[in-house]
Amino acid sequence: MKTRILSLIAGSLLASGAASAASLEVKVTNLTQGIYFTPILVSAHTSDAMLFNAGEKASEALQAMAEGGSLDGLNEILTGISANTVSNPAGGLLAPVASTMASLETSDGNDRLSIVAMMLPTNDGFIGLNSWKIPSEAGTYHVYLNAYDAGTEANNELVVDGSGAPGTLGIPASPGVDPGTQGSGVTSTESNEMIHIHRGNLGDDEATGGKSDLHNTVHRWLNPVAKVTVTVK
């Protein structure tokens, strides 16, 4: 009798472990008109891990992603906690209206999904899905993502060659449409240094001069900025 009870317990634990692992297809679609996403990070991790928290200060790793598109710091952290991660599924920038797919096999306990990528051209804007609980039931699920501001850099809206490193003010690139030039800068300060919903680019309609190097008919957006389709198999 004791042997049978132990066998039942062991069987229940194995079944529980199998249920917590999952095979996922994750599709990310850029919903904007003129904003590009830098290499995307898709990760499944445990419930006590988060890439960011709105209303809190950005980590150095998140800052590096939000200001320059670097995933190195976040990947190092995720590797250290045995997360299941796909980096850069699009093989570079994800253009407006384009989509990319990532296949993810999750380990036991990695039941939360997070996604981040910098938005170009912005100073420190990024798309963010934060610790979304992966459904246990097979099916297709849709999640819409807002744009966040990392709060680490003033949104001066000036495209500056060589910027993109943390602490170096400026937008590193404006893919798709050439930016304006010789803007004076929208602002030189950031009043909200916590991660918060991005106000959006302001832009202007002056090719030379004005406050912004961005175009008000191309580089503005409204939330949501991305759609995530998760297929649980």
Side-chain angles (χ1 to χ4, degrees), residues 33-70:
Q33 173 187 332
I35 302 297
Y36 287 68
F37 301 160
T38 62
I40 296 167
L41 181 67
V42 180
S43 183
H45 51 77
T46 56
S47 60
D48 57 350
M50 294 189 179
L51 298 188
F52 69 96
N53 262 327
E56 296 183 4
K57 286 261 192 181
S59 65
E60 290 183 1
L62 190 84
Q63 179 181 4
M65 180 280 301
E67 292 186 20
S70 173

Side-chain angles (χ1 to χ4, degrees), residues 4-83:
R4 177 170 171 75
I5 291 172
L6 290 174
S7 297
L8 288 172
I9 292 173
S12 296
L13 289 174
L14 287 172
S16 175
S20 64
S23 179
L24 308 178
E25 291 287 342
V26 181
K27 179 181 179 181
V28 181
T29 302
N30 184 338
L31 299 180
T32 71
Q33 173 187 332
I35 302 297
Y36 287 68
F37 301 160
T38 62
I40 296 167
L41 181 67
V42 180
S43 183
H45 51 77
T46 56
S47 60
D48 57 350
M50 294 189 179
L51 298 188
F52 69 96
N53 262 327
E56 296 183 4
K57 286 261 192 181
S59 65
E60 290 183 1
L62 190 84
Q63 179 181 4
M65 180 280 301
E67 292 186 20
S70 173
L71 299 179
D72 293 344
L74 292 174
N75 270 322
E76 183 177 352
I77 292 170
L78 291 166
T79 298
I81 62 172
S82 300

Side-chain angles (χ1 to χ4, degrees), residues 7 12 15 24-25 30 32 34 36-38 51 55 61 76 78 94 97 115-116 127 163 188 192 206 214 218-219 227:
S7 297
S12 296
L24 308 178
E25 291 287 342
N30 184 338
T32 71
Y36 287 68
F37 301 160
T38 62
L51 298 188
E76 183 177 352
L78 291 166
L94 187 67
V97 309
I115 299 172
V116 293
I127 66 168
S163 64
S188 60
N192 186 350
E206 299 183 47
L214 307 184
V218 177
H219 296 128
K227 179 181 179 182

Side-chain angles (χ1 to χ4, degrees), residues 2 8 20 23 65 72 79 94-95 103 125 136 146-148 156 161 166 176 181 206-207 211 221 224 226-227:
K2 183 180 291 186
L8 288 172
S20 64
S23 179
M65 180 280 301
D72 293 344
T79 298
L94 187 67
S103 298
S136 58
N146 290 327
Y148 289 90
N156 67 351
D161 289 340
T181 61
E206 299 183 47
K211 288 188 175 182
W221 73 81
K227 179 181 179 182

Side-chain angles (χ1 to χ4, degrees), residues 138-216:
T140 300
Y141 303 85
H142 304 288
V143 187
Y144 290 87
L145 307 189
N146 290 327
Y148 289 90
D149 189 312
T152 56
E153 181 174 306
N155 296 330
N156 67 351
E157 298 190 13
L158 299 181
V159 180
V160 180
D161 289 340
S163 64
T168 303
L169 185 61
I171 297 171
S174 178
V177 175
D178 291 335
T181 61
Q182 301 178 41
S184 61
V186 171
T187 183
S188 60
T189 61
E190 175 55 80
S191 58
N192 186 350
E193 296 183 350
M194 305 299 179
I195 298 169
H196 56 279
I197 294 294
H198 205 294
R199 71 181 185 198
N201 290 329
L202 300 180
D204 60 36
D205 57 4
E206 299 183 47
T208 304
K211 288 188 175 182
S212 176
D213 286 344
L214 307 184
H215 304 293
N216 59 11

